[in-house]
Amino acid sequence: MARLDLWVGCIGLSLYTLLVAILILTIVLVHCCGRKVSQGKRSIRWIFRIYIFFFSILRTGWISFQTFDGGSSITYILNRLSITLYFSAVGFILIYWRQVYRSRNYKASFPKVGWGMLAASLLLLIITLATIVQVLKSGYANRDKNSVYNMAVFEDVILSGVLALAFLVLGCHILAKTIMTSSSNRDSKKKRMRIAAISFITIIFEGIFCSRTYLFAYRLVTGVAFGPTSVFYIFAYFIPDVVPMVLTIFLIEADQRQDDSHHDFIDGLYEDQSIVTSSTSSSVRESLLVGNSDEDD
């Protein structure tokens, strides 16, 4: 495979570097603020962040080699490993959507579906490693004639299509549930904003995964990329890789702010209750003292 145009590689490097910078910044903010989060939500968030961090590092290395060295066995290894981490991270995005937007009632423990996702990620990683070994053993230069190599591309097409369908179904379910939820006039504006946000995110995710599915499928069937190489890399790799992750990072940040408001509200209630209890106890003690002094008189 020929080298990427320098400007295309620079776009990719800039986007993946930006993703790493945003992720590190949010982690630093979370650590400095010391936010109170339930164990289940914290686990999903941190697993997602870990996957995205290593995915971004691998992608940065991949696009660097692809730009300055061209296609080689190293670029193939970095590409396959990063794609595996990508699909695993997107799976946890689905779980996070389900936990956050389907219901505001959280369980303190790590959800069972999360353990299932971890098992699926491990299985996908094992398949990826076996694929890499077989392709390199058979000769990377003849990869297009390798059935295992083509099966890996077919796997990418299937997983992208499944994710597109999953986000559509879950997004429509959450949207319908939100619309049917009754709300007071005071909360109607918040409800409309929530509906608009869910619709926007669903459309963005759906468009991204559908386009990626089509571009991968087109390349698998025809043997050539759809359009110029720059267009293929931007719409099949850069945008699908970065946009869903950045949106999810900001959604996590917004959800944490809502958690902070909730905890501040609860803490305020406890403080008010403590003040009332303390005031009541003081009043009772004063009354008893006054009563005792009257009896002594």
Side-chain angles (χ1 to χ4, degrees):
M1 186 180 294
R3 295 180 182 179
L4 280 179
D5 292 337
L6 183 60
W7 69 272
V8 178
C10 289
I11 291 176
L13 283 172
S14 300
L15 289 175
Y16 293 125
T17 303
L18 177 64
L19 178 58
V20 174
I22 292 174
L23 181 63
I24 292 176
L25 179 61
T26 55
I27 292 175
V28 170
L29 290 175
V30 169
H31 180 73
C32 292
C33 294
R35 288 165 171 165
K36 302 175 182 178
V37 186
S38 66
Q39 184 63 35
K41 293 171 64 179
R42 184 187 300 114
S43 300
I44 294 175
R45 290 170 178 173
W46 278 106
I47 290 175
F48 168 77
R49 288 167 178 147
I50 291 171
Y51 273 110
I52 292 304
F53 177 77
F54 286 105
F55 161 76
S56 303
I57 297 299
L58 289 174
R59 270 301 199 226
T60 302
W62 165 73
I63 198 64
S64 299
F65 278 101
Q66 192 68 53
T67 303
F68 300 104
D69 185 53
S72 64
S73 57
I74 296 177
T75 59
Y76 179 72
I77 293 172
L78 293 174
N79 186 33
R80 293 311 311 172
L81 291 176
S82 59
I83 286 178
T84 300
L85 291 177
Y86 173 82
F87 283 127
S88 299
V90 174
F92 279 102
I93 292 177
L94 277 170
I95 296 175
Y96 192 79
W97 270 41
R98 181 178 178 272
Q99 290 293 102
V100 175
Y101 294 102
R102 188 177 179 181
S103 173
R104 299 305 303 183
N105 298 321
Y106 298 103
K107 294 182 179 180
S109 60
F110 190 63
K112 293 182 179 179
V113 68
W115 292 110
M117 188 64 232
L118 283 176
S121 300
L122 179 60
L123 177 61
L124 188 60
L125 178 60
I126 294 173
I127 294 174
T128 299
L129 292 175
T131 301
I132 291 173
V133 171
Q134 203 284 332
V135 171
L136 296 182
K137 184 178 180 180
S138 301
Y140 178 74
N142 301 320
R143 62 190 180 281
D144 292 334
K145 299 178 181 179
N146 192 320
S147 59
V148 175
Y149 175 87
N150 292 325
M151 281 298 297
V153 179
F154 180 72
E155 173 189 303
D156 296 341
V157 174
I158 296 299
L159 289 177
S160 296
V162 169
L163 289 174
L165 180 61
F167 275 106
L168 178 62
V169 171
L170 184 58
C172 291
H173 175 77
I174 296 171
L175 186 62
K177 187 174 181 179
T178 304
I179 293 174
M180 291 186 295
T181 302
S182 59
S183 59
S184 60
N185 294 331
R186 184 179 60 181
D187 297 332
S188 59
K189 182 178 180 180
K190 184 183 296 185
K191 179 180 177 179
R192 288 195 298 269
M193 292 178 62
R194 183 180 175 87
I195 292 173
I198 295 172
S199 302
F200 172 76
I201 295 171
T202 302
I203 292 172
I204 292 296
F205 276 58
E206 190 65 18
I208 285 174
F209 288 111
C210 283
S211 64
R212 185 170 201 164
T213 302
Y214 174 77
L215 291 173
F216 279 2
Y218 184 91
R219 186 173 186 175
L220 178 65
V221 174
T222 64
V224 296
F226 179 83
T229 303
S230 58
V231 173
F232 178 81
Y233 271 82
I234 290 173
F235 289 96
Y237 286 108
F238 299 164
I239 293 179
D241 282 351
V242 176
V243 173
M245 306 308 171
V246 172
L247 278 177
T248 303
I249 290 172
F250 282 113
L251 287 174
I252 289 175
E253 179 66 20
D255 182 49
Q256 287 184 333
R257 291 182 182 275
Q258 187 168 344
D259 283 341
D260 291 343
S261 300
H262 176 72
H263 284 296
D264 290 343
F265 176 73
I266 297 298
D267 291 342
L269 288 180
Y270 278 115
E271 289 177 2
D272 293 342
Q273 183 65 29
S274 299
I275 293 173
V276 171
T277 304
S278 177
S279 177
T280 303
S281 300
S282 298
S283 300
V284 171
R285 285 196 299 269
E286 291 177 359
S287 299
L288 291 174
L289 290 172
V290 170
N292 291 335
S293 61
D294 290 340
E295 290 177 0
D296 293 338
D297 291 341

